[in-house]
Amino acid sequence: MKQPALTLSLLFALSACTGSSEEPTRALLAAAINNPSGLTYQIRFFQSSTLQPGNFDPPRRVGSWDIDEPIVTLLYRRSLEQGVNDQLWVLTPSRLRRYNTRNLSVDDVGTPQLDGFDEALNVDCGRGYLRQGQSRLLLVCPPATPARPEEYRAWLIPFTATALPAPVNFQDPNLVRLSTPARLTLGPNDQLLYLTPSQFGQYDFVNPFIERPLSLSGSSPTDLIFANGLALGLFDDNDPTTTDTTLATWNLSPTGEVGLVRDSNIAARFFARGAPPVFVLGSGLARFEGGFQLPREQETGLSRFLRYSTATVGIDQFLYAAQQDSLSLVVIDLTVNIASALTSAGVRFSSLGSLQERISGLAFIPVE
């Protein structure tokens, strides 16, 4: 039960010893890269320090793994056992695989070594996503057009699993009542958190649900995470002519009110993964600390019209963000205040491949 707190403490301790003015963290950035026209799908590993602002050498590609179908997303789980059980989970439209990362280094990634889990999903998971809990992983495969909760497919998978467990039962009376569309994630003690236009809730599959009402019927939830003791959700207003972000916050108290924070300067639709702090991205990006901190466009070159598809925050205090519909990676120094002190010297743009390729997932992997 204490793993998240220990993990968070470890991340903070490690991040306090790194940053742009310290010895670079020995780490790899894994980028899931799809080329549908060439029918090639790879996980490419780059030495993270060669991607960062202040380094003027080309990005150093350490190696790559070939995957047999498009990569939907990646999730890296770092254990507290000195790398023994570090895992890289790889989701494709039809399968979920777990790879061991203990042999990765900044000089060699070898060939992919499956770690006892390679399971067919028997459902189209091309729009799926992964979320990490304390002892389990949540895999969600939403339907193409969500009309009813029972059309969703989701699994709670132990990190040590060797087979796919029974799926979440959306016929459960506490779940079938959900409105749709919905986003799911794991909260404390691997409790299921859910977000819909009318509900923000928590359910542990044993006790009655805890829920707070919402009134966002014209919007769709686009992402949901649990961080710093809060459930955080993002909504799309479904209006292509506007640039607008709505972020919902809830402390999981049965009587706690849901806070709504809005900003019309960006259209954030997802959260960066990895270590704190909390970043939101979409069309533009911002740091969230009770309110939104946006980088200055002229000083940084980070236009709020730049679109991003995936991002991760490393324990080295850099944000790694992929631009949508390109192979361009943006790396931002987080050791300075992005709203007041970040300049172009703290931002670097790099290309990780050819024009036909796209980045679908990123994972920061320490290899000390």
Side-chain angles (χ1 to χ4, degrees):
M1 298 295 183
K2 296 181 180 179
Q3 185 175 337
L6 288 172
T7 302
L8 195 59
S9 300
L10 177 63
L11 292 177
F12 278 124
L14 287 168
S15 64
C17 298
T18 58
S20 59
S21 61
E22 302 288 341
E23 184 70 20
T25 302
R26 292 176 63 83
L28 299 172
L29 184 75
I33 295 177
N34 296 325
N35 184 351
S37 62
L39 299 179
T40 57
Y41 316 104
Q42 288 186 326
I43 302 173
R44 294 178 188 165
F45 298 88
F46 297 86
Q47 186 176 345
S48 61
S49 60
T50 68
L51 302 167
Q52 296 165 0
N55 188 319
F56 301 101
D57 294 328
R60 179 172 176 261
R61 180 170 161 181
V62 178
S64 61
W65 294 350
D66 291 326
I67 305 297
D68 57 359
E69 62 177 332
I71 304 166
V72 177
T73 191
L74 307 174
L75 186 144
Y76 170 72
R77 173 184 175 261
R78 189 178 193 186
S79 73
L80 297 178
E81 303 173 32
Q82 298 181 343
V84 174
N85 292 316
D86 291 357
Q87 303 168 344
L88 181 65
W89 294 79
V90 180
L91 176 65
T92 67
S94 68
R95 303 189 76 85
L96 179 64
R97 298 180 173 102
R98 184 181 67 217
Y99 296 93
N100 196 301
T101 64
R102 64 174 173 262
N103 293 324
L104 301 184
S105 74
V106 293
D107 297 313
D108 185 25
V109 298
T111 57
Q113 301 295 318
L114 282 168
D115 191 23
F117 190 97
D118 180 5
E119 291 289 297
L121 303 176
N122 298 317
V123 65
D124 181 2
C125 206
R127 301 171 63 249
Y129 54 94
L130 301 168
R131 296 294 178 265
Q132 180 177 336
Q134 288 183 224
S135 61
R136 293 184 289 183
L137 181 79
L138 174 68
L139 165 62
V140 183
C141 300
T145 305
R148 299 183 305 275
E150 57 266 32
E151 294 178 336
Y152 284 75
R153 295 292 180 269
W155 292 264
L156 286 166
I157 306 168
F159 290 131
T160 57
T162 56
L164 199 65
V168 172
N169 178 19
F170 283 96
Q171 299 288 348
D172 181 319
N174 292 305
L175 296 177
V176 75
R177 43 172 295 282
L178 297 185
S179 61
T180 55
R183 292 290 295 196
L184 308 172
T185 196
L186 295 180
N189 302 320
D190 289 345
Q191 294 179 338
L192 187 72
L193 303 181
Y194 55 87
L195 180 66
T196 79
S198 61
Q199 305 151 311
F200 207 157
Q202 176 186 30
Y203 180 50
D204 64 4
F205 299 98
V206 176
N207 300 301
F209 57 85
I210 299 172
E211 192 172 272
R212 305 304 297 155
L214 288 175
S215 299
L216 295 168
S217 58
S219 300
S220 301
T222 57
D223 206 354
L224 176 64
I225 62 170
F226 180 72
N228 304 329
L230 291 174
L232 303 171
L234 288 168
F235 282 89
D236 187 343
D237 62 3
N238 294 319
D239 185 345
T241 66
T242 63
T243 302
D244 189 43
T245 289
T246 298
L247 189 151
T249 67
W250 181 39
N251 63 7
L252 304 185
S253 166
T255 58
E257 294 301 318
V258 176
L260 296 178
V261 183
R262 292 186 171 90
D263 196 293
S264 60
N265 292 302
I266 56 172
R269 300 294 179 253
F270 67 91
F271 295 96
R273 308 300 165 201
V278 174
F279 269 85
V280 294
L281 301 95
S283 293
L285 62 85
R287 178 171 175 164
F288 178 75
E289 290 184 338
F292 293 113
Q293 299 178 5
L294 279 70
R296 299 167 297 170
E297 296 183 72
Q298 184 173 352
E299 290 85 352
T300 62
L302 296 171
S303 165
R304 66 185 177 94
F305 297 108
L306 277 179
R307 297 188 301 162
Y308 304 91
S309 59
T310 184
T312 187
V313 178
I315 61 172
D316 58 358
Q317 297 192 65
F318 287 93
L319 172 70
Y320 300 83
Q323 288 190 55
Q324 189 171 328
D325 299 327
S326 80
L327 251 287
S328 182
L329 183 79
V330 183
V331 182
I332 301 172
D333 185 352
L334 303 182
T335 62
V336 298
N337 186 297
I338 71 160
S340 61
L342 183 67
T343 67
S344 58
V347 180
R348 180 177 174 181
F349 294 81
S350 300
S351 176
L352 301 187
S354 67
L355 293 175
Q356 294 77 28
E357 297 172 326
R358 300 292 180 265
I359 302 174
S360 63
L362 296 170
F364 182 87
I365 304 178
V367 293
E368 301 99 323

